[in-house]
Structure formats: structure tokens, C-alpha cells
Amino acid sequence: MNAPILERDPSDPTTKKEDVSPLLKLVLELGPLVVFFFANARGEWLAQKFPALAELGGPIFIATGLFMAATAAALIASWLLTRSLPIMPLVSGVVVFVFGALTLYLQDDVFIKMKPTIVNTLFGAILLGGLWFGKSLLGYVFASAFRLDAEGWRKLTFRWGLFFLFLAVVNEVVWRSFSTDTWVAFKVWGIMPITLLFTFSQMPLIMRHSLDDHSSK
């Protein structure tokens, strides 16, 4: 199999993309979620101030419509700044548009609640499926941020694959077991801290397998 050749490519990319500052990147990623949370919490007020929004339905539907608009704005801003669209936000955005449209058209918030489950399951399946075929796909996403050896990319890809599946399960438990307001709050203020903690917990692995030091594999 030619997997070893493919695994070396992510750690030694030949092209370099223009990077966005970490703060701006965080704003682009968190902005739509904050809009979603605010619109759900203040849906009735928004409907009074902007009667056109009342046509969408109750607070969760107003939040869904504004979430879709904010997601589109974030993707457009990312494209204007870098002339590229990161694959993970792009895939997530497509699912937001599809499930958001279904939510608004059918007036059923189950679709927007299932969106994180679908996205995280998709990412987890792709990463773990890639490993099954001998490819550490995470390396192609984060090659510009880290230079790891093949074993490091395999381990990191496996861990992120499992973590995405974990997030999918958590989302299912929360939206099926708690109120819509609780689910929205957890989606905005719970998932991000969990993801940050998991990301920081991977730093020892990244340091061990970094090609910039001489640590053993």
C-alpha cells in the first residue's frame, strides 16, 4: 500500500495558505453560535422590533434563520480574507443550510437540533474511515499548523475521530432529554469548552511526535 507516502505529505506541505489571526478565526467560528443563542433567548423581542422575523415562527425558528444568515456571513468573510474555505466549517455550513431550511419550512426544530449530530458523526466516520484505509486525513486539515510524523498523525486522527462521535452522542442525549433553551445554551457554552479542553489535552501527543524536535516516536 502507498499509505506511508500519503502520510508524509500533510507534515510537509508544498503550499502555504494565508492565515487568519487566531482572534478573528475564533470570532468567525463562534459568531454564528452567539447569534443563535441570543436570537433564541430574545426571540420575542426581536419579533417585535423586526416584524418580518415573526414570519419565521417562534424564538427557535427566528434563531435558526439568523444562525443560517450568520453562518453564510462567516463563510463569506473567511473567503474574502483567505480566498479559501476550510473544509470543516464549509461542511458544517452546508448542513446548517439544509437542516435549517427544513426546520423553517416544516416548522419542526428537530432538524436543527440534529444538525450537530449529523456533522459530528460525519467527521468522525470520515476520520476513522480514512484510518481504515491507511490515511491520516486530519493531517491534510492541520498540516499548516503542525508538523508531525506519520505515527503522530495516526494517533491524533484516531482520537479526534472518537471525539467527534462522542460529541454526536452528547448532542443526542441533551436535545432529547432537556428543553430547547437548555440545548441551545449547551450547544453554545458547553460544546466549546469541552472541545477546547480536549484540544489542549492532545498537546503532549503533538509535542512527542512533532518533527520540530527530536522526541522519540
Side-chain angles (χ1 to χ4, degrees):
M1 234 179 178
N2 57 356
I5 295 177
L6 293 176
E7 288 174 345
R8 283 196 292 270
D9 291 338
S11 61
D12 191 22
T14 56
T15 59
K16 187 168 182 64
K17 298 178 181 177
E18 184 181 351
D19 292 328
V20 178
S21 70
L23 179 59
L24 181 55
K25 185 177 180 181
L26 184 64
V27 170
L28 291 176
E29 292 180 356
L30 281 184
L33 288 176
V34 173
V35 169
F36 186 61
F37 175 80
F38 174 80
N40 181 72
R42 302 297 301 275
E44 294 181 0
W45 177 81
L46 287 171
Q48 292 175 355
K49 291 292 183 179
F50 306 96
L53 291 178
E55 299 297 322
L56 296 176
I60 187 62
F61 300 108
I62 292 174
T64 297
L66 294 180
F67 183 42
M68 294 168 66
T71 298
L75 289 174
I76 292 171
S78 180
W79 170 258
L80 292 176
L81 290 169
T82 66
R83 294 299 174 184
S84 66
L85 289 175
I87 185 63
M88 295 174 72
L90 178 59
V91 171
S92 181
V94 170
V95 177
V96 166
F97 300 143
V98 172
F99 279 72
L102 288 172
T103 296
L104 296 178
Y105 180 73
L106 299 175
Q107 289 290 288
D108 189 344
D109 61 8
V110 167
F111 291 101
I112 197 63
K113 290 177 178 178
M114 288 182 64
K115 173 262 173 183
T117 301
I118 300 298
V119 170
N120 288 315
T121 300
L122 180 62
F123 287 153
I126 289 174
L127 292 180
L128 297 179
L131 287 179
W132 181 267
F133 291 100
K135 296 178 175 63
S136 303
L137 299 178
L138 197 67
Y140 295 90
V141 179
F142 293 113
S144 62
F146 306 109
R147 297 185 68 246
L148 307 182
D149 59 34
E151 182 65 17
W153 282 123
R154 278 195 293 270
K155 290 180 179 179
L156 198 61
T157 297
F158 179 72
R159 293 183 182 185
W160 271 101
L162 291 182
F163 181 68
F164 279 125
L165 295 182
F166 164 76
L167 290 181
V169 172
V170 169
N171 183 68
E172 284 295 294
V173 170
V174 173
W175 84 259
R176 292 179 184 275
S177 305
F178 299 94
S179 68
T180 295
D181 288 345
T182 299
W183 171 77
V184 171
F186 181 77
K187 175 180 170 61
V188 178
W189 309 115
I191 293 298
M192 183 57 65
I194 291 174
T195 301
L196 288 175
L197 286 174
F198 175 79
T199 301
F200 289 137
S201 74
Q202 302 312 301
M203 291 309 298
L205 182 148
I206 291 172
M207 296 302 295
R208 276 199 310 273
H209 293 276
S210 174
L211 294 178
D212 294 329
D213 58 36
H214 301 287
S215 300
S216 58
K217 294 184 180 181

